Amino acid sequence: MATDVITRLDPASRAARRGLSDLTIRNLFIIPTILFLIVFNIFPLLYSLGYSFTDFRASTNAPANFVGLQNYRELLNDPFIWNNFVITAKYVIVSVAGQVIVGFGVAMLLNRDIPYKGLITTLLLLPMMLSMAVVGLFWKLLYDPSFGIINYALGLGTFEWLANPDMALYAVAITDIWMWSPFVMLLSLAGLSAVPKHLYEAAAIDRAGPLYTFFRITLPLVAPILMIAIIFRTMEAFKTFDLAYILTSQPTTEVLSIRLYKMAFQEWQTGRSCALAYIMLIVVVAITNIYVKYLNKVKER
Amino acid sequence: MRRKLAGIVAGIGFTLACGTSAFAQELTIFWAEWDPANYLQELVNEYEAETGVRVTVETTPWSDFQTKAFTEFNARGDAYDMVVGDSQWLGAGSTGGHYVDLTDFFKKHNLGEVMAPATVKYYAEYPGNSGKYWAIPLEGDAVGWSYRKDWFEDPKEMEAFKAKYGYDLDVPKTFAQLRDIAEFFHRPDEKRYGVAIYTDNSYDALVMGVENAIFSYGGELGNYETYEVDGYINSDKAVAAVEAYKELYQFTPPGWAKTFFVENNQAITEGLAAMSMNYFAFFPALLNEATNPHAKNTGFFANPAGPDGDQFAALGGQGISIVSYSQNQEESMKFLEWFIRADVQKRWAELGGYTCHAATLESEEFRNATPYNEAFYQTMFKVKDFWAVPEYAELLQQINQRIYPYIVGGEGTAKEALDALAADWTETFKKYDRLK
């Protein structure tokens, strides 16, 4: 009987009975998928890597000339590009830190018995379901110094958020925090609900204070899942484009993706922009590796 | 069997023949999304009525215009038969092989004489003074100004202005007067502001605005023959002009750090500013009471003169080019022959298009047709343009990177910004072997 159940549930056996062998499945599904990935992912990746060593400009009919590492050398010696890196780093730190603090804080508040908890959680998730372009335009109106509700609510008069070079990056980061804190909150809630209750009961019996409980029980147990949220959000924040582009076009908010876009599609410096894309890729991979190593350490503890 | 095969082949041949014929009866012109494109569609409908050839004006928002056009060129696509491209595209369009050489067409129809000289120089010829033409001037345009006539003509305001500045309040004839008037009307407490200028640094908006000042102050972007820029873009005159532009920025409405044609028209329609800079092509909306409640009180003037009496304006507008990948180049040539006809140019002007046809431009009928046509006419004979070289986009990026932080952010001095820009541009021209 048990054998019969296994046979009925085993898809390979069912496929075999219908005449679909492992070989056929590989040929029909796996090989086309791999080919698709190679054609649309790997090939463009390698092709653009090739272009990054040339002076190719897509706006001309001139052939691409091999220039070796010149594009990389020029980019790494360009003070404007370094400035773009600094802006991006500042943005990533402010934005991700804000999301972790707000998201985790809200998750702590929601991780208790409160009425309409499900409804509140759902409503809090709404910002991250909206399109980036819509959020950008929406917040542009909110920040407007003449009729924006933010200045009205905070009594800031005609304070300029987006036109002020010193404030614009923070204004973009605040919008990003508003949009993506729910993501951190969701993951944190999952982590918090998985913390065994008996640990808190034991801490209560030992008369441990709330701070001790938080730092010794809650945070260590939620840390791995929080780290995953941080990894995701750091990668996304590093690549951010839409919000900064729509909200403001200040030099102080020109993150790397915007510079890359302008270089590739407004200035048509195709080879150079490919090199910048690879520099960005290397940085993202390096940051992610550092995070993953740290995540593994946190898990081991 | 043989008869059946012959029938199939004949059928395919007939279908292909019909298909080709039908295809040649349709032309597509690509342009940006704005009122002149709508006027052009109205005009080309008349071409269809006359010839049976349907012409569609396909548009895209200004922010995507360059990217979309060049993406299609780069792919050697034939989606568009003609494109109404920006003047600074001429270098990239011609040297990249994207535009059809119209030199013979130009000479055959004597367009160098028929069209206004500045429009021929900036919308059609590349390289400068080479006698090679790649476009037909289509939409003439330049940067001008609109203003609130009722504010200017209010007796109390006039009296107060004279008491403060010692001369009569009137349409500014010089940049100094423009600055005084902007300062006079700048009253944030009353939610009234002095002036609206271009500040958007993402394409050519801020640059066009600053050019208005640089050219009228007697400055130049560089030597267009030799590509020398040091001593031109950072000359004393250019420095004074950029300082003057920055001074105007302090009299703009709040949040005026990323503004272009939409916001500058809004400054008038919402009663925010006394004066507003904009392309002439956007002025029709200011005379429409449906879009501007102050339409009756809106006046227009040409870009004022600088301290030495020089008076120029930054050139807008576009020429129409045939895309070299088009399958309908002959049909497109026929369309252009129709378009340059004097009666068609007159009709183009009647519909709201800014003709570049010299005779039409100079006619009393055109100059009196709208309250801004006279200012437009005056302006079109004293316009100057940005670099039209293929690497213009890099040059635009560099000028934005240097002057925006100074004008909007108050960083450094105009001299420092322009010295740095001179170094950037010199390096770029060396990179492209224009300068040794």
Side-chain angles (χ1 to χ4, degrees):
Chain A
M1 184 65 187
T3 317
D4 184 41
V5 170
I6 290 165
T7 310
R8 268 193 283 127
L9 293 175
D10 183 0
S13 304
R14 272 190 293 158
R17 232 183 290 157
R18 285 181 201 151
L20 284 174
S21 65
D22 286 350
L23 195 69
T24 315
I25 290 169
R26 190 194 69 186
N27 291 343
L28 271 179
F29 301 109
I30 299 173
I31 290 182
T33 308
I34 290 172
L35 280 176
F36 185 87
L37 281 173
I38 289 170
V39 170
F40 290 100
N41 282 5
I42 312 292
F43 174 71
L45 206 67
L46 295 176
Y47 206 71
S48 59
L49 179 66
Y51 270 144
S52 75
F53 299 111
T54 69
D55 63 354
F56 183 59
R57 295 171 67 86
S59 59
T60 67
N61 278 326
N65 298 311
F66 182 76
V67 292
L69 291 171
Q70 188 187 319
N71 288 329
Y72 290 91
R73 207 169 37 238
E74 282 179 5
L75 285 169
L76 294 174
N77 284 318
D78 184 343
F80 284 113
I81 295 292
W82 280 109
N83 191 36
N84 295 134
F85 266 107
V86 171
I87 291 167
T88 310
K90 213 191 282 182
Y91 175 76
V92 170
I93 291 167
V94 174
S95 175
V96 176
Q99 284 162 32
V100 170
I101 293 166
V102 175
F104 191 68
V106 175
M108 289 286 287
L109 290 173
L110 284 175
N111 190 40
R112 52 185 71 191
D113 292 327
I114 51 169
Y116 307 112
K117 187 174 160 180
L119 180 68
I120 293 169
T121 310
T122 310
L123 288 174
L124 287 172
L125 291 178
L126 282 178
M128 72 174 193
M129 295 173 190
L130 297 171
S131 133
M132 281 277 202
V134 172
V135 170
L137 292 171
F138 173 61
W139 275 79
K140 205 172 177 177
L141 293 175
L142 295 181
Y143 281 132
D144 191 284
S146 301
F147 53 81
I149 200 163
I150 291 178
N151 281 3
Y152 176 76
L154 300 176
L156 294 174
T158 55
F159 179 77
E160 293 185 352
W161 291 85
L162 301 173
N164 183 342
D166 299 327
M167 200 62 221
L169 189 71
Y170 298 105
V172 179
I174 289 169
T175 308
D176 200 47
I177 291 167
W178 174 82
M179 193 171 180
W180 291 107
S181 292
F183 175 76
V184 180
M185 178 199 83
L186 199 64
L187 287 186
S188 303
L189 261 179
L192 286 169
S193 60
V195 177
K197 290 273 187 295
H198 65 84
L199 292 177
Y200 291 116
E201 288 163 6
I205 290 166
D206 290 343
R207 293 185 180 178
L211 275 179
Y212 185 89
T213 312
F214 177 77
F215 283 109
R216 293 298 178 130
I217 298 172
T218 312
L219 199 56
L221 288 172
V222 179
I225 206 160
L226 206 55
M227 275 304 294
I228 290 169
I230 292 170
I231 291 172
F232 277 124
R233 289 312 310 149
T234 303
M235 284 195 296
E236 284 297 316
F238 194 83
K239 295 184 298 175
T240 201
F241 177 85
D242 335 40
L243 272 186
Y245 194 74
I246 292 165
L247 275 171
T248 172
S249 188
Q250 294 267 6
T252 53
T253 60
E254 194 175 271
V255 288
L256 275 168
S257 302
I258 293 180
R259 184 79 274 276
L260 178 65
Y261 165 76
K262 285 182 177 174
M263 200 182 277
F265 301 110
Q266 288 183 350
E267 298 161 29
W268 296 105
Q269 300 189 71
T270 317
R272 207 162 185 238
S273 59
C274 288
L276 181 57
Y278 269 91
I279 293 172
M280 280 180 70
L281 180 73
I282 291 164
V283 173
V284 172
V285 169
I287 294 172
T288 312
N289 267 335
I290 295 167
Y291 274 142
V292 171
K293 271 187 186 167
Y294 189 69
L295 174 67
N296 289 336
K297 271 187 189 169
V298 169
K299 273 183 179 173
E300 282 166 15
R301 257 188 247 160
Chain B
M1 182 62 193
R2 189 179 290 172
R3 192 184 287 174
K4 206 180 258 180
L5 191 68
I8 291 169
V9 171
I12 292 170
F14 182 71
T15 310
L16 285 174
C18 288
T20 311
S21 160
F23 210 62
Q25 300 304 305
E26 287 186 20
L27 293 172
T28 304
I29 300 174
F30 187 52
W31 202 0
E33 192 178 282
W34 62 335
D35 284 344
N38 301 332
Y39 309 147
L40 184 64
Q41 183 62 68
E42 282 185 59
L43 183 75
V44 298
N45 288 345
E46 294 177 14
Y47 182 68
E48 183 181 0
E50 207 175 303
T51 63
V53 176
R54 198 167 87 196
V55 186
T56 307
V57 180
E58 196 176 310
T59 61
T60 193
W62 272 106
S63 50
D64 300 332
F65 184 40
Q66 186 205 213
T67 309
K68 203 169 168 186
F70 274 86
T71 304
E72 185 65 15
F73 295 161
N74 301 340
R76 293 161 176 68
D78 61 356
Y80 314 124
D81 300 301
M82 287 167 275
V83 62
V84 188
D86 263 346
S87 53
Q88 60 266 33
W89 296 7
L90 275 177
S94 57
T95 58
H98 309 309
Y99 287 172
V100 169
D101 186 347
L102 295 175
T103 307
D104 292 340
F105 182 92
F106 228 83
K107 285 177 182 162
K108 183 182 164 193
H109 298 283
N110 195 26
L111 289 182
E113 305 281 321
V114 171
M115 298 289 174
T119 66
V120 173
K121 183 178 176 187
Y122 293 117
Y123 300 150
E125 191 180 29
Y126 185 82
N129 302 323
S130 65
K132 299 280 278 177
Y133 300 98
W134 306 90
I136 306 300
L138 181 135
E139 170 78 359
D141 201 3
V143 179
W145 296 82
S146 57
Y147 73 103
R148 284 294 297 270
K149 271 197 299 188
D150 51 338
W151 295 8
F152 275 53
E153 290 166 5
D154 183 331
K156 281 183 190 166
E157 300 287 9
M158 291 171 82
E159 195 183 332
F161 183 86
K162 184 147 191 183
K164 188 172 179 186
Y165 296 97
Y167 61 95
D168 289 333
L169 174 61
D170 197 359
V171 168
K173 306 280 185 304
T174 65
F175 260 86
Q177 291 176 1
L178 184 81
R179 182 235 167 264
D180 288 347
I181 299 169
E183 182 187 53
F184 176 71
F185 282 115
H186 191 67
R187 301 161 194 173
D189 296 343
E190 298 172 27
K191 296 214 167 179
R192 270 190 185 193
Y193 306 93
V195 67
I197 54 174
Y198 287 162
T199 58
D200 189 348
N201 63 336
S202 46
Y203 184 47
D204 65 351
L206 173 67
V207 177
M208 295 284 288
V210 173
E211 276 179 355
N212 257 359
I214 291 177
F215 295 146
S216 286
Y217 268 70
E220 296 286 352
L221 302 186
N223 183 329
Y224 284 12
E225 304 289 324
T226 63
Y227 299 99
E228 282 175 281
V229 290
D230 196 23
Y232 291 88
I233 187 60
N234 52 350
S235 68
D236 292 343
K237 287 179 176 179
V239 169
V242 174
E243 284 170 350
Y245 200 79
K246 182 186 165 40
E247 216 180 347
L248 287 181
Y249 177 67
Q250 66 181 310
F251 305 125
T252 59
W256 218 254
K258 191 181 184 301
T259 54
F260 199 10
F261 55 87
V262 174
E263 294 82 1
N264 276 19
N265 261 12
Q266 279 174 350
I268 294 293
T269 59
E270 291 172 13
L272 277 177
M275 298 173 289
S276 178
M277 163 190 282
N278 221 337
Y279 292 108
F280 280 93
F282 294 109
F283 287 160
L286 296 183
L287 284 187
N288 183 348
E289 286 185 33
T291 49
N292 180 16
H294 313 290
K296 282 181 185 159
N297 292 316
T298 304
F300 304 88
F301 61 92
N303 194 44
D308 300 328
D310 293 308
Q311 192 176 12
F312 293 97
L315 183 79
Q318 292 89 21
I320 184 166
S321 302
I322 298 177
V323 177
S324 58
Y325 316 109
S326 161
Q327 304 293 315
N328 303 312
Q329 292 185 21
E330 270 185 47
E331 201 63 65
S332 300
M333 287 280 190
K334 284 183 198 162
F335 170 79
L336 292 184
E337 277 183 21
W338 175 83
F339 179 75
I340 57 171
R341 260 171 32 193
D343 59 321
V344 176
Q345 285 294 311
K346 188 166 173 275
R347 180 75 184 126
W348 173 226
E350 282 168 6
L351 287 169
Y354 280 121
T355 176
C356 300
H357 191 257
T360 312
L361 258 178
E362 285 165 10
S363 68
E364 288 296 317
E365 192 185 349
F366 174 80
R367 289 164 65 176
N368 296 321
T370 70
Y372 41 76
N373 272 17
E374 178 59 30
F376 173 74
Y377 164 76
Q378 287 174 19
T379 306
M380 283 314 287
F381 288 90
K382 49 192 176 191
V383 284
K384 290 188 179 184
D385 200 12
F386 192 71
W387 301 95
V389 290
E391 58 274 14
Y392 74 93
E394 284 170 69
L395 303 173
L396 266 180
Q397 168 73 10
Q398 287 161 343
I399 187 171
N400 277 322
Q401 276 176 329
R402 292 300 182 186
I403 61 173
Y404 185 89
Y406 167 68
I407 290 168
V408 174
E411 285 178 27
T413 65
K415 176 75 178 148
E416 285 166 1
L418 294 181
D419 280 345
L421 177 61
D424 291 345
W425 279 3
T426 300
E427 197 182 323
T428 303
F429 284 135
K430 278 183 181 166
K431 186 170 133 191
Y432 291 98
D433 287 334
R434 297 189 192 283
L435 195 64
K436 298 294 167 201

